[in-house]
Amino acid sequence: MTSLELGLWSFPVLLALIFLRLPIGLAMLLVGFAGTWLVTGSSLPILAQLKSLTYDTFSSYSLSIVPLFLLMGQFATRGGLSQALFKAAETWLGHRRGGVAMAAVGACAGFGAICGSSLATAATMSRVALPELRRYGYSGGFSTATLAAGGTLGILIPPSVIMVIYGSMTETSIGALFVAGIVPGLIGVLFYAAAVRFTVWRDPEAGPAGPKLPLRERLQAVREVWIVLGLFVLIIGGIYLGVFTPTEAAGMGAAGAFLIALFKRTLTPASFARVLVETVQTSAMLMCVLVGALIFSNFVNVAGVPSKVVALIDWFGLPPIGVILLIIVFYLILGCVFDSLAMILLTVPIFFPLVTGLGYDPVWFGILIVVAVEISLITPPIGMNIFIIRTVLSDLPVTTIYRGVVPFILADFLRLALIVALPALILFLPAQMGN
């Protein structure tokens, strides 16, 4: 068997191991180790690589951003910022038909700006917003679909753990990726709000209007969230203006969220210990997965798979935009059976050299991938965000949630088309950094 054949066969083997519930990091490590051994005829290169990659990954200065942003999200949750965000949006929008659902989307976007994880955003906001949505009489399918879709904004609106991993794997500026995610993130909020309006237009009973609160109460609710806006401006504004690096921004964000939790007196010694333990556990899991992905990626390159893919594309004679559309279709199909992290780790080593070889900007491609991955979080049969939400409302059939999420998926398709047609939406702000 040639090295290329080994590289091609590694993917179905890897998929089989993952479906057998072997942890994805371990599965990629084993397949990459075995494949490199078979190609080179020796285990020494992979053992040396494993030692150096593990050390470089765990000691990487740029990757220290991951535990810091995870820590910031944990402190923000303990500080009650998710409740404050939702309450502020609800007071201004709750009197409109579908307004509480729009408030939930806005709160998801705000919490995503201090969390960096879609699953964490969906889980946190479902506990905060779902009781209110049910109190206003919103239908179960519409409520859960709104929160599942809103939760996807957690990996696009900076900071984003997925962007950090993509930037680390491709050596793309993490700061530029963060800044590039702002405009498509805001477009996502607007498109999701339009999906809410469309849903309540078709079925007014799905999202009835609530009472209009006095102006004083609405202003008071806004005053409760100014600190969230300040934290976001500190992080992203500091990166954009070149005041500090993304890693330094992550440290500032974690310290700021810690001070907020202390000020609100919501952090006890026991909860502080839980925050640290959960952050360490999640960070270690992500680092181990990244090491496995790098081992597998190196094997795929040694086997010559990327060059073969490029040659195949040349043989078909597809134009660059045709290649991009083909990649998007592949992501949409893969998203039906894989979670977001697995998709990034599996596909970036193959697609990144191809796309950059065609002349596309790596920052633009990174945001394109994140938006495509967002869609996978709410598409059947997995739809990780949907299953996260369903744990809060376990009596609701998952098929009902899938029906409710259709308008949001259509909104995501429109946003994806806009990004492909107008790359400047993504690249304008990064181009201004440091100017």
Side-chain angles (χ1 to χ4, degrees):
M1 186 178 292
T2 66
S3 60
L4 179 60
E5 290 173 335
L6 284 172
L8 295 175
W9 273 106
S10 67
F11 288 95
V13 172
L14 180 60
L15 296 180
L17 291 176
I18 293 173
F19 276 115
L20 290 173
R21 296 189 177 275
L22 194 69
I24 183 174
L26 180 58
M28 298 179 90
L29 176 63
L30 292 176
V31 173
F33 184 95
T36 304
W37 192 351
L38 290 172
V39 169
T40 62
S42 172
S43 63
L44 292 179
I46 194 66
L47 290 174
Q49 188 183 83
L50 181 61
K51 179 186 72 173
S52 60
L53 274 177
T54 303
Y55 176 80
D56 291 343
T57 301
F58 279 79
S59 62
S60 170
Y61 175 76
S62 60
L63 282 178
S64 61
I65 192 174
V66 173
L68 288 172
F69 274 133
L70 291 174
L71 186 63
M72 182 177 74
Q74 290 278 357
F75 281 138
T77 303
R78 300 290 177 181
L81 297 185
S82 55
Q83 291 93 332
L85 284 165
F86 177 70
K87 185 63 178 176
E90 181 190 8
T91 57
W92 286 91
L93 298 172
H95 64 282
R96 300 179 181 275
R97 186 176 291 121
V100 182
M102 293 182 192
V105 170
C108 285
F111 190 72
I114 51 175
C115 175
S117 166
S118 285
L119 298 182
T121 300
T124 301
M125 295 311 304
S126 65
R127 290 192 292 268
V128 173
L130 197 54
E132 287 296 298
L133 287 164
R134 299 192 75 179
R135 184 172 69 86
Y136 276 90
Y138 280 58
S139 69
F142 179 41
S143 301
T144 49
T146 299
L147 292 170
T152 65
L153 297 170
I155 61 171
L156 180 59
I157 294 180
S160 166
V161 173
I162 290 291
M163 288 184 190
V164 173
I165 292 176
Y166 170 86
S168 175
M169 293 181 67
T170 62
E171 298 183 354
T172 302
S173 168
I174 295 173
L177 287 167
F178 281 179
V179 173
I182 295 175
V183 172
L186 294 176
I187 292 174
V189 173
L190 293 176
F191 279 17
Y192 284 166
V196 169
R197 291 294 296 174
F198 174 76
T199 301
V200 297
W201 172 73
R202 288 188 59 197
D203 181 12
E205 297 302 317
K212 187 173 183 178
L213 297 177
L215 180 60
R216 178 178 296 180
E217 289 189 32
R218 286 185 279 172
L219 293 176
Q220 176 61 36
V222 171
R223 282 195 290 268
E224 293 292 327
V225 298
W226 67 267
I227 199 163
V228 179
L229 179 61
L231 195 60
F232 177 78
V233 171
L234 173 69
I235 296 170
I236 303 304
I239 294 174
Y240 183 79
L241 296 174
V243 177
F244 35 67
T245 66
T247 305
E248 293 166 345
M252 296 289 288
F258 172 66
L259 293 175
I260 292 171
L262 285 181
F263 177 76
K264 290 180 173 291
R265 299 180 180 180
T266 57
L267 199 63
T268 64
S271 63
F272 180 72
R274 284 197 299 272
V275 163
L276 296 181
V277 169
E278 290 175 9
T279 301
V280 169
Q281 288 175 338
T282 305
S283 302
M285 181 271 292
L286 289 173
M287 294 296 184
C288 289
V289 170
L290 186 56
V291 169
L294 292 173
I295 295 290
F296 180 75
S297 173
N298 287 336
F299 158 63
V300 168
N301 288 324
V302 169
V305 175
S307 59
K308 184 62 177 179
V309 172
V310 172
L312 189 63
I313 293 295
D314 290 338
W315 185 78
F316 277 110
L318 288 176
I321 188 63
V323 175
I324 293 297
L325 294 177
L326 193 62
I327 290 174
I328 290 174
V329 171
F330 183 82
Y331 271 110
L332 296 178
I333 295 173
L334 198 65
C336 294
V337 293
F338 277 103
D339 64 78
S340 56
L341 182 60
M343 289 171 62
I344 292 291
L345 297 176
L346 281 172
T347 59
V348 166
I350 304 296
F351 291 149
F352 183 78
L354 172 62
V355 171
T356 53
L358 292 172
Y360 286 103
D361 190 282
V363 173
W364 174 82
F365 183 60
I367 301 302
L368 183 73
I369 286 179
V370 171
V371 174
V373 165
E374 275 189 328
I375 301 175
S376 74
L377 293 171
I378 54 175
T379 52
I382 291 185
M384 293 297 293
N385 274 17
I386 291 176
F387 283 95
I388 290 287
I389 301 295
R390 192 171 180 269
T391 59
V392 182
L393 199 63
S394 56
D395 59 330
L396 189 69
V398 70
T399 53
T400 302
I401 306 177
Y402 282 138
R403 285 195 297 270
V405 87
V406 168
F408 298 96
I409 295 176
L410 295 177
D412 274 332
F413 283 155
L414 290 174
R415 179 168 46 143
L416 200 58
L418 198 60
I419 289 172
V420 173
L422 299 172
L425 289 174
I426 291 174
L427 298 177
F428 175 75
L429 287 181
Q432 309 306 313
M433 290 178 66
N435 294 340

